[in-house]
Amino acid sequence: MNELRAMRIWLIGLTCAVLALVTAPVQAHKASDSYLQVDATDKGTAVRWDIALRDLDAVLDLDTNEDGKLTWAEVKNAWPRIETYGLAHLKIDGCALRVGERSLEKRNDGTYAVMMLASDCKLTSAPVITYTLFREVDPTHRGIAKIQRPGQALALVVLDPTHPPVMSGSTAASSSTTTTSSADSAKAHSDDAISPTSGWGFVREGIRHILTGYDHVLFLLC
């Protein structure tokens, strides 16, 4: 009996060791996100936009020598294409955005291209943002926007490139104009609990990202 018990313990230990070796290399990739900080003042609007180089490489082929590594020279040569691509996929109604400074920022999850954008527009009301970045290659991508306007509370908005545009500070995705019918207003009110700006909206986005990525499901199973 003792030998049988010892054999069972040995088999359990061996199984755990094998599982540990098999699952050790398994990793779930970080969600594809970009980050926007919109600061509106009485003099105009400034936007800081951080986009991961790994995501930009997927659409712009930044790695010209295809060695699996991005060099400063490759990124420097690609900056005009990065800016052109970015501006083509971000619109703030009433604001003509122009590119200012550029830089790179190293983060735990990789290096980001940082674009500083500016406009002379004054956001006297909640801006309507049209965001379509990476829509053609990654429908799970999201933009995370932090919007600050004078005298208004800070607004956090999830930007879905497959459902543009979004009005910051509103309770749901808006239409292409800033006006809504009474029926639309009622629907927006009923959807308040799951709006992109609510806490549940961010939780829902996290759940959606996990469930729509097969690699994440495999990671959890392992």
Side-chain angles (χ1 to χ4, degrees), residues 155-158 166-172 192 194-199 201-202:
L156 294 176
V157 182
V158 177
V166 166
M167 183 187 300
S168 70
S170 68
T171 57
D192 182 65
I194 57 173
S195 70
T197 57
S198 69
F202 285 99

Side-chain angles (χ1 to χ4, degrees), residues 170-215:
S170 68
T171 57
S174 70
S175 65
S176 58
T177 63
T178 58
T179 60
T180 58
S181 65
S182 58
D184 293 336
S185 298
K187 182 179 186 300
H189 180 73
S190 67
D191 289 343
D192 182 65
I194 57 173
S195 70
T197 57
S198 69
W200 171 243
F202 285 99
V203 173
R204 184 184 61 176
E205 283 297 319
I207 295 173
R208 176 203 56 77
H209 177 77
I210 291 175
L211 295 182
T212 56
Y214 70 88
D215 57 333

Side-chain angles (χ1 to χ4, degrees), residues 115-139:
M115 290 190 294
M116 304 301 294
L117 310 176
S119 176
D120 296 327
C121 67
K122 300 176 179 61
L123 300 178
T124 57
S125 61
V128 176
I129 302 175
T130 302
Y131 180 92
T132 58
L133 192 71
F134 303 129
R135 181 173 61 179
E136 68 274 29
V137 295
D138 186 359

Side-chain angles (χ1 to χ4, degrees), residues 2-209:
N2 290 335
E3 292 181 358
L4 181 60
R5 184 177 179 182
M7 179 64 70
R8 287 177 178 175
I9 295 175
W10 183 83
L11 287 175
I12 291 173
L14 179 62
T15 301
C16 290
V18 172
L19 287 175
L21 290 174
V22 171
T23 59
V26 177
Q27 296 181 359
H29 75 270
K30 180 191 177 299
S32 173
D33 302 311
S34 79
Y35 305 93
L36 297 98
Q37 181 173 326
V38 182
D39 293 310
T41 67
D42 295 334
K43 297 181 180 180
T45 300
V47 180
R48 172 181 167 136
W49 194 4
D50 295 30
I51 310 173
L53 289 181
R54 64 178 180 276
D55 295 333
L56 289 168
D57 184 40
V59 294
L60 300 178
D61 293 326
L62 306 184
D63 185 12
T64 54
N65 61 5
E66 299 182 351
D67 64 349
K69 300 178 181 179
L70 286 177
T71 65
W72 165 243
E74 288 173 329
V75 176
K76 182 178 180 181
N77 291 333
W79 265 116
R81 291 190 293 133
I82 293 174
E83 293 170 349
T84 299
Y85 178 78
L87 289 179
H89 292 81
L90 175 66
K91 305 293 181 186
I92 301 178
D93 279 13
C95 297
L97 297 172
R98 59 181 181 272
V99 179
E101 297 180 359
R102 58 176 72 151
S103 64
L104 296 177
E105 181 170 306
K106 185 74 172 179
R107 299 187 178 185
N108 291 336
D109 61 327
T111 303
Y112 283 68
V114 180
M115 290 190 294
M116 304 301 294
L117 310 176
S119 176
D120 296 327
C121 67
K122 300 176 179 61
L123 300 178
T124 57
S125 61
V128 176
I129 302 175
T130 302
Y131 180 92
T132 58
L133 192 71
F134 303 129
R135 181 173 61 179
E136 68 274 29
V137 295
D138 186 359
T140 68
H141 172 82
R142 295 295 183 267
I144 310 298
K146 181 173 70 174
I147 302 168
Q148 183 69 68
R149 294 189 295 125
Q152 301 295 323
L154 180 69
L156 294 176
V157 182
V158 177
L159 302 173
D160 183 346
T162 64
H163 295 87
V166 166
M167 183 187 300
S168 70
S170 68
T171 57
S174 70
S175 65
S176 58
T177 63
T178 58
T179 60
T180 58
S181 65
S182 58
D184 293 336
S185 298
K187 182 179 186 300
H189 180 73
S190 67
D191 289 343
D192 182 65
I194 57 173
S195 70
T197 57
S198 69
W200 171 243
F202 285 99
V203 173
R204 184 184 61 176
E205 283 297 319
I207 295 173
R208 176 203 56 77
H209 177 77

